[in-house]
Amino acid sequence: VAKTVPGARDVPDVGTLKEMIREAGLKGTAGRIAVLKLLHEVRSPVTHAEASARLTGSGMDHATIYRNLTDLTAVGLAVRSDLGDRVWRFELRRGEREHNVKHPHFHCSACGAVACLPENAVTLKATAGGPKALRRKGLAVQVTGTCDDCAAASH
Ligand SMILES: [Zn+2]
Ligand SMILES: [Zn+2]
């Protein structure tokens, strides 16, 4: 199974998506396939509301979509992040299982746009005598500022 990276716009076919879900230990239901496909299609992490809006007409209600998002997260196909506004956003997991830090996110404080940053965009350094928290796994880094569109609009 080819690894698909967000940013590369390759969306695997249904058979491949189903196989990914099965390999992760879940039944490849139509709902999970639709949600996993959506996560391949989007450019940035999506909220449950955004996922629901995009899956209108799929026959799934909001609760089912949420359950599928959390199922895919539980088995490691997706990750969810709270980017400081207490809203979970879901996206594909990239090959970062082995790293301490998940890839950082940029959050525009003006329009709320969210973008994934490369893993090496932000480096954390655990200094001697500093908090050990920086050495623990599962750290999340968020960068807040003004996105390109908002910066352009203010000129
Ligand atoms: Zn913005
Ligand atoms: Zn991301």
Side-chain angles (χ1 to χ4, degrees):
V1 176
K3 285 258 180 292
T4 309
V5 181
R9 298 290 91 214
D10 301 325
V11 178
D13 60 34
V14 170
T16 307
L17 291 166
K18 191 170 187 173
E19 196 53 37
M20 289 168 76
I21 294 168
R22 279 178 169 167
E23 277 178 14
L26 293 174
K27 269 192 192 160
T29 62
R32 289 185 185 131
I33 291 168
V35 170
L36 187 58
K37 183 164 180 281
L38 169 71
L39 293 179
H40 279 86
E41 287 166 351
V42 293
R43 249 166 251 266
S44 52
V46 289
T47 63
H48 170 218
E50 288 162 354
S52 293
R54 281 171 159 271
L55 291 167
T56 304
S58 67
M60 283 187 282
D61 59 22
H62 290 267
T64 305
I65 291 168
Y66 189 74
R67 201 167 56 240
N68 285 328
L69 282 167
T70 53
D71 284 350
L72 295 176
T73 303
V75 297
L77 286 171
V79 289
R80 61 175 197 180
S81 318
D82 172 357
L83 304 186
D85 54 4
R86 297 177 196 193
V87 179
W88 288 116
R89 285 181 178 79
F90 299 85
E91 64 183 310
L92 290 181
R93 180 190 283 275
R94 305 193 216 170
E96 58 203 7
R97 209 181 286 253
E98 62 282 4
H99 295 286
N100 261 15
V101 185
K102 301 192 257 184
H103 66 266
H105 288 100
F106 178 84
H107 191 202
C108 177
S109 55
C111 71
V114 169
C116 300
L117 298 175
E119 260 176 82
N120 58 3
V122 176
T123 334
L124 293 180
K125 206 169 147 197
T127 49
K132 291 196 179 74
L134 287 187
R135 294 200 185 89
R136 277 188 205 111
K137 285 189 181 287
L139 295 176
V141 175
Q142 283 122 39
V143 180
T144 305
T146 309
C147 75
D148 292 351
D149 288 346
C150 290
S154 67
H155 283 298

